[in-house]
């Protein structure tokens, strides 16, 4: 029973560390054109407003044109109250509405993506995925990357407004998005340290019936570690002074 309780503590520590990382990495939707990270950093596209902001942008093959407005719905041709509209030279297709906006992070690159979708009268659902790239150059650009698969359209929006900024009560935080990679490494490191010592101690104590200092995982290594550190430090100090020349 004691072993079970101790493992619960270990799992709770690990789960807490993971939740901290996940919460800080996820941008939670505020509305159709803004979201917030766990550290109160906000991405707000509302300054990018037009009717629409970008009109008739060609895809790489010059087969279709797309119009996009990040925040407010617009109408164009037969597209009514949409975020993205496609025109192929003959027909208009609704490729996503504002109220369908979903913010997510690419699992590979970590890039923030806002996705819109729309279903027409024939039951065809078209989806538009806009990658939001932080660009402090001062130029706002919208690029059509093309149709990835049937009815899935890829775009990239580069703007300073894609950069996370401190929210209303953020206290002037930095403009970096979410938790830093270094912070993640520190969290993971300490979680692993807890697993190593607590898990190892529990195993030795209840699995091997070890008592006292013998229940410390790899006790001989940790006991020798200070001496190893001392020897290493002396080597670094003396190597420039010929301390090891005779070896």
């Amino acid at each position: 029973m004691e072993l079970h309780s101790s493992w619960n503590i270990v799992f709770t520590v690990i789960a807490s560390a993971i939740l901290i990382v996940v919460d800080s990495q996820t941008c939670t939707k505020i509305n159709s054109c803004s979201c917030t990270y766990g550290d109160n950093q906000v991405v707000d596209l509302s300054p990018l407003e037009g009717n629409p902001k970008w009109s008739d942008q060609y895809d790489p093959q010059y087969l279709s044109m797309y119009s996009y407005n990040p925040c407010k719905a617009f109408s164009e041709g037969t597209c009514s109250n949409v975020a993205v509209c496609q025109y192929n030279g003959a027909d208009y297709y609704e490729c996503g509405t504002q109220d369908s906006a979903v913010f997510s992070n690419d699992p590979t690159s970590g890039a923030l993506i806002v996705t819109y979708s729309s279903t027409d009268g024939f039951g065809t659902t078209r989806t538009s995925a806009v990658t939001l790239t932080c660009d402090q150059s001062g130029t706002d650009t919208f690029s059509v990357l093309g149709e990835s698969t049937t009815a899935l359209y890829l775009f990239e929006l580069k703007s300073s407004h894609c950069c996370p900024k401190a929210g209303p009560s953020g206290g002037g935080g930095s403009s970096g998005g979410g938790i830093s990679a270094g912070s993640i490494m520190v969290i993971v490191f300490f979680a692993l340290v807890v697993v190593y010592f607590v898990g190892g101690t529990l195993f030795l104590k209840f699995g091997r019936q070890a008592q006292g200092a013998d229940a410390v995982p790899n006790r001989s290594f940790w006991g020798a570690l200070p001496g190893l550190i001392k020897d290493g430090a002396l080597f670094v100090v003396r190597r420039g002074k010929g301390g090891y020349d005779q070896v």
Side-chain angles (χ1 to χ4, degrees):
M1 198 66 169
E2 182 181 354
L3 176 61
H4 178 73
S5 176
S6 299
W7 275 113
N8 280 341
I9 295 174
V10 175
F11 292 143
T12 299
V13 172
I14 297 174
S16 298
I18 293 174
L19 286 174
I20 290 172
V21 173
V22 171
D23 181 62
S24 298
Q25 287 285 302
T26 302
C27 202
T28 304
K29 180 179 177 180
I30 298 175
N31 52 43
S32 64
C33 62
S34 64
C35 64
T36 180
Y37 287 98
D39 58 356
N40 201 42
Q41 297 286 305
V42 175
V43 173
D44 183 10
L45 305 178
S46 59
L48 301 173
E49 199 45 66
N51 191 35
K53 176 67 173 179
W54 288 278
S55 299
D56 302 331
Q57 304 292 302
Y58 269 110
D59 61 21
Q61 292 76 33
Y62 291 89
L63 297 176
S64 298
M65 295 186 293
Y66 298 83
S67 298
Y68 173 55
N69 208 38
C71 292
K72 293 183 180 179
F74 69 95
S75 297
E76 181 180 56
T78 57
C79 292
S80 178
N81 297 319
V82 295
V84 183
C85 179
Q86 179 198 51
Y87 178 59
N88 64 6
D91 300 299
Y92 291 88
Y93 296 98
E94 298 181 356
C95 298
T97 61
Q98 295 290 348
D99 57 6
S100 69
V102 174
F103 291 88
S104 62
N105 290 91
D106 185 292
T108 302
S109 66
L112 180 61
I113 299 173
V114 57
T115 305
Y116 311 90
S117 62
S118 180
T119 303
D120 62 22
F122 299 99
T124 300
T125 299
R126 294 179 173 82
T127 302
S128 297
V130 182
T131 298
L132 306 180
T133 301
C134 176
D135 185 350
Q136 299 284 12
S137 67
T139 301
D140 304 321
T141 60
F142 175 69
S143 303
V144 181
L145 305 181
E147 188 172 0
S148 174
T149 59
T150 302
L152 173 59
Y153 311 98
L154 304 182
F155 310 91
E156 182 180 21
L157 172 59
K158 293 183 178 181
S159 171
S160 62
H161 302 296
C162 296
C163 305
K165 299 178 177 64
S169 58
S174 67
S175 60
I179 193 169
S180 67
S183 298
I184 294 175
M185 292 178 65
V186 171
I187 292 172
V188 172
F189 170 77
F190 282 107
L192 292 176
V193 168
V194 171
V195 172
Y196 170 77
F197 279 104
V198 177
T201 299
L202 292 175
F203 172 75
L204 292 173
K205 182 176 182 181
F206 296 100
R208 300 285 180 84
Q209 306 302 316
Q211 299 294 326
D214 291 333
V216 177
N218 296 310
R219 180 169 66 92
S220 59
F221 168 77
W222 295 113
L225 185 60
L228 295 174
I229 295 175
K230 177 182 177 181
D231 290 343
L234 289 175
F235 173 77
V236 172
V237 172
R238 292 173 178 172
R239 63 180 301 182
K241 300 179 180 180
Y244 283 82
D245 288 346
Q246 298 178 358
V247 178

